[in-house]
Amino acid sequence: MLPSLLEYSAAQLTELLGALGHKPYRATQLREWIWKHRAASFEAMSNLPPALRAELASRFTLRPLELVELSQSSTGSGTRKFLSRLQDNHLVESVILPAAVGEGGSRSSRLTLCVSSQVGCAYGCRFCASGLHGFTRHLSAGEILGQILAAEEVAGERVDNLVFMGMGEPLANLDNLLPALDRILDPHSLGIGARHITISTSGNVPGLRRLAAYGKPLRLAVSLHGASDDVRSRVMPVNRKWPLGELLPALEEWARTQKHMLTLEYILIHEVNDMLPEADKLADIARRLNAKVNLIPYNTVQGLPWVRPSEEHCRRFCQALLSHRIPVTMRYEKGHDINAACGQLRLRRMEKEQGATPDQGAAPSRA
Ligand code: SAH
Ligand code: SF4
């Protein structure tokens, strides 16, 4: 596997080229090729000496992912989901969502990308296709960044909004996520503003504290899916490790020190967490955290026993929250027809390629 140059800071590029006997201006040229021109190969870097281009090409890659499948939603939503192969043959998926509408109804972005942070997921939430085959490995910073560049090539335009809601638990992979964020935020690299980046977590408490210490005004979404330990532990085993008694104080701390409102994600699953008294408990938590709630009717995953509630019932749950004056939105999965809940496209392909066994390569483990 060739390491990627994508995660290299300006200082690291200067150091690398210095070690190869080149002046610092060469590092600036290289950085401009990588980020300003989005060069996909070293050969394209016409103002660099051919020997340097060849040396870099023999040691590094600029595209650690190769597109293997693209599915387009037929509902006209413009959602596109693509599956990519990593250098060691593992599969990751990313979703392109056009024109996110921001608060107040303004068009806050042209192109949103839903990014994966791991191959599989160790957390094994009972409703989620990503965790169904366990954890395979973390994505490197370069692979996280590579998804963005690959998406731009597919879309033919630049990504200006990121949601870490793809496969994996981003806060379990901060060693790679933070260096990737360094490049994403750097105006000389991707230059996407912190308020256009949302990290979604199922509630890794030490990870939350470390992300807070990173000190950037990122947006945070928390996959709550249960407003009491009983309900939450039933669908999210991670709740046994960090129950609400630990998670909520950590979120209160986050809410106190960050300027953006927290979002609580809540998948509605028939007769698991969609009973109306649960809405009252959820409202109490949202009020305590000054958070908004995003309701997501469960997106059916083949082989899992859960049932999506009726639209009528989802509306009633939503009304119950509104009656407590909690800001709430209902998200119907864009591109339901292309398995847009993350992890599903990969699962389908794995089943097709390997008869439902996990990816090629390492066996899944519970990390
Ligand atoms: N691990 C992080 C980031 C992944 S986000 C987290 O869990 O927050 C993936 C989002 O998709 C989460 O909010 C998750 O709860 C949601 N999701 C997973 N499976 C789903 C399904 N079958 N239907 C609807 N949403 C689902
Ligand atoms: Fe992992 Fe998030 Fe899926 Fe849970 S919902 S298994 S934490 S990706």
Side-chain angles (χ1 to χ4, degrees):
M1 264 180 40
L2 289 178
S4 101
L5 263 194
L6 299 174
E7 62 264 46
Y8 274 51
S9 65
Q12 287 169 319
L13 289 178
T14 307
E15 193 182 315
L16 172 71
L17 292 206
L20 295 173
H22 293 276
K23 299 246 160 60
Y25 79 94
R26 290 290 186 203
T28 308
Q29 288 177 322
L30 176 58
R31 194 187 65 207
E32 286 182 350
W33 278 112
I34 297 173
W35 296 114
K36 203 163 159 188
H37 309 300
R38 304 285 206 266
S41 73
F42 295 101
E43 293 82 81
M45 302 180 174
S46 51
N47 59 359
L48 293 187
L52 173 59
R53 286 187 251 161
E55 168 85 27
L56 292 173
S58 71
R59 292 178 48 188
F60 298 101
T61 176
L62 294 169
R63 293 293 179 274
L65 295 85
E66 182 202 345
L67 179 71
V68 289
E69 188 178 330
L70 180 68
S71 351
Q72 182 124 15
S73 170
S74 58
T75 57
S77 62
T79 302
R80 275 167 291 178
K81 182 156 202 170
F82 60 100
L83 195 65
S84 307
R85 205 178 284 288
L86 303 171
Q87 292 180 82
D88 60 0
N89 271 332
H90 292 307
L91 297 169
V92 280
E93 61 189 69
S94 329
V95 186
I96 300 173
L97 307 148
V101 176
E103 278 156 52
S106 63
R107 232 177 100 120
S108 66
S109 80
R110 285 188 311 278
L111 202 64
T112 295
L113 184 70
C114 176
V115 191
S116 291
S117 53
Q118 297 178 317
V119 181
C121 184
Y123 285 24
C125 301
R126 303 283 183 241
F127 46 77
C128 177
S130 296
L132 218 54
H133 287 302
F135 173 77
T136 300
R137 72 166 173 85
H138 293 302
L139 293 185
S140 68
E143 289 166 337
I144 294 171
L145 294 162
Q147 287 173 74
I148 304 169
L149 298 177
E152 290 186 341
E153 279 159 15
V154 168
E157 61 181 309
R158 294 211 169 168
V159 167
D160 59 5
N161 207 54
L162 291 177
V163 293
F164 283 86
M165 294 188 177
M167 211 187 345
E169 169 53 46
L171 297 193
N173 186 18
L174 281 170
D175 286 348
N176 293 302
L177 180 69
L178 296 183
L181 284 173
D182 287 344
R183 296 279 63 71
I184 292 167
L185 293 163
D186 176 7
H188 295 297
S189 300
L190 275 171
I192 298 177
R195 69 192 182 93
H196 289 288
I197 302 169
T198 302
I199 312 286
S200 179
T201 177
S202 59
N204 175 315
V205 169
L208 273 170
R209 300 223 160 91
R210 200 172 147 201
L211 187 69
Y214 183 61
K216 300 289 189 308
L218 302 160
R219 292 181 189 271
L220 185 70
V222 178
S223 294
L224 199 67
H225 311 325
S228 61
D229 280 326
D230 268 4
V231 172
R232 195 165 192 260
S233 295
R234 193 173 157 204
V235 286
M236 300 181 74
V238 65
N239 191 66
R240 299 201 186 102
K241 185 150 190 191
W242 293 294
L244 293 174
E246 280 186 52
L247 176 60
L248 297 181
L251 293 176
E252 274 179 321
E253 205 177 305
W254 176 281
R256 247 198 326 272
T257 53
Q258 299 281 325
K259 69 175 199 227
H260 301 308
M261 234 181 170
L262 263 172
T263 301
L264 300 176
E265 309 268 352
Y266 197 95
I267 302 179
L268 287 165
I269 310 174
H270 180 58
E271 285 182 358
V272 172
N273 65 359
D274 71 338
M275 298 75 89
L276 292 180
E278 296 303 309
D280 298 334
K281 292 182 210 156
L282 178 56
D284 287 344
I285 293 178
R287 195 176 303 109
R288 177 173 162 191
L289 298 173
N290 188 29
K292 51 190 170 188
V293 173
N294 191 5
L295 294 176
I296 313 151
Y298 168 68
N299 197 1
T300 314
V301 176
Q302 214 185 344
L304 296 184
W306 316 109
V307 176
R308 182 183 177 108
S310 69
E311 265 190 64
E312 166 65 23
H313 187 80
C314 293
R315 263 198 299 275
R316 273 202 288 170
F317 195 93
C318 185
Q319 278 303 329
L321 287 170
L322 287 171
S323 71
H324 288 285
R325 299 179 172 280
I326 302 299
V328 46
T329 48
M330 177 95 83
R331 184 177 84 204
Y332 283 96
E333 283 293 346
K334 283 187 185 172
H336 195 71
D337 57 323
I338 55 165
N339 303 310
C342 282
Q344 294 195 45
L345 188 66
R346 167 175 167 269
L347 190 65
R348 209 189 57 204
R349 175 124 188 161
M350 277 159 55
E351 282 164 2
K352 210 163 71 189
E353 285 185 0
Q354 294 141 21
T357 56
D359 308 73
Q360 298 159 2
S365 61
R366 318 293 300 178

